[in-house]
Amino acid sequence: MTSEFRLRLGSVERSYPLDCLSDTHDYHQLLVSLDGRVDVEVGGLGGAMAPGSVCLIPAAATHHYLGLDADNRCRVLNLPAGASSYDALFERIRFLRLSPEEARRLDDETLLSRLGAAPPWCGPRLNMARLIRRVQADPVAPWNLARLAEASRLSERQLRRSLSALTGQTPWQWLQGQRLARAERLLATSDASITEIAMACGFADGAQFSRHFRRRHGMTPTAFRRRP
């Protein structure tokens, strides 16, 4: 769930969760990064949005997003589709750039009028939302470096550098984190056995899964599941 409260003339502030989520709606949406980083993908375009970056999401465009920092903060403005004053601005998916100060201080109407002259924004080449969705869709696949690079549409060297810059992790560390996060959710929401969860998350067996899980959490998967 996102945290949300009212702002100025209709915009809201949101803090996006660290899980990759998807959404589609019948209104236009303006997303402006204020603090931290949020990864956004719309129509195959996107990347890690830093403070001041802007994403224009047209109505009916499916988009994917996740927080890359726990303290991320975005300004969001929803606008009706079918109103000519807004439809021209949202005729296509766009990523633009404002100064962080403009993103925070401009009222909604001034912000919208400013976007026509705003330069394009080019974020990091790694689109984390896309990569996470690919891994989550087939967690048991043999995700070696070459396959991760192909899924992220980067070279192996670019993937290493981008993951290190965004997460401070190697591709292998990042992949293990994704598998363990999926396992945590299954431990909390399913009655599957430890071995079944291990296999469903891409681990070789229950013993390997338990070693990695204990290293991360300081407890066994069974103890994690029994917590109140």
Side-chain angles (χ1 to χ4, degrees):
M1 298 293 290
T2 61
S3 62
E4 179 176 319
F5 55 90
R6 298 296 297 175
L7 273 183
R8 293 191 282 283
L9 302 178
S11 56
V12 298
E13 278 196 13
R14 291 178 182 166
S15 177
Y16 286 94
L18 303 182
D19 293 323
C20 186
L21 303 175
S22 301
D23 200 2
T24 307
H25 36 66
D26 59 3
Y27 49 84
H28 304 309
Q29 187 170 80
L30 178 69
L31 178 64
V32 185
S33 177
L34 300 178
D35 290 300
R37 297 169 301 168
V38 173
D39 195 276
V40 179
E41 180 194 355
V42 192
L45 305 173
M49 295 178 61
S53 54
V54 179
C55 178
L56 282 77
I57 306 172
T62 298
H63 46 287
H64 315 278
Y65 53 88
L66 74 153
L68 297 176
D69 300 311
D71 59 351
N72 73 81
R73 198 163 57 93
C74 291
R75 179 178 174 183
V76 181
L77 180 61
N78 298 328
L79 299 165
S84 59
S85 58
Y86 300 136
D87 288 345
L89 184 62
F90 288 86
E91 63 183 356
R92 68 183 188 279
I93 300 162
R94 288 193 288 169
F95 289 86
L96 303 174
R97 176 166 47 87
L98 299 173
S99 70
E101 293 74 22
E102 288 177 308
R104 295 186 181 99
R105 67 177 172 79
L106 295 180
D107 62 62
D108 291 341
E109 292 180 356
T110 306
L111 176 66
L112 288 167
S113 65
R114 173 74 178 83
L115 294 179
W121 163 74
C122 297
R125 295 188 63 185
L126 174 60
N127 188 179
M128 191 72 82
R130 180 196 301 126
L131 181 58
I132 286 177
R133 288 190 300 108
R134 291 288 300 275
V135 170
Q136 288 180 344
D138 192 7
V140 301
W143 287 105
N144 56 25
L145 181 59
R147 187 165 186 156
L148 288 171
E150 181 182 7
S152 62
R153 303 178 187 174
L154 298 176
S155 69
E156 294 180 14
R157 180 181 180 185
Q158 289 170 330
L159 177 61
R160 286 196 194 95
R161 294 178 64 180
S162 296
L163 272 177
S164 178
L166 287 173
T167 70
Q169 298 176 317
T170 66
W172 177 246
Q173 290 170 332
W174 177 85
L175 178 62
Q176 288 295 89
Q178 291 300 308
R179 286 173 166 165
L180 287 169
R182 176 180 170 84
E184 291 166 25
R185 291 191 290 271
L186 290 175
L187 285 168
T189 60
S190 79
D191 295 325
S193 69
I194 300 302
T195 298
E196 288 171 336
I197 290 175
M199 301 301 289
C201 294
F203 293 95
D205 51 42
Q208 184 195 54
F209 165 53
S210 294
R211 287 196 303 272
H212 285 290
F213 192 93
R214 186 163 192 164
R215 190 176 301 130
R216 179 184 176 105
H217 291 286
M219 66 179 73
T220 65
T222 300
F224 181 90
R225 173 175 264 173
R226 290 174 177 168
R227 294 185 311 168

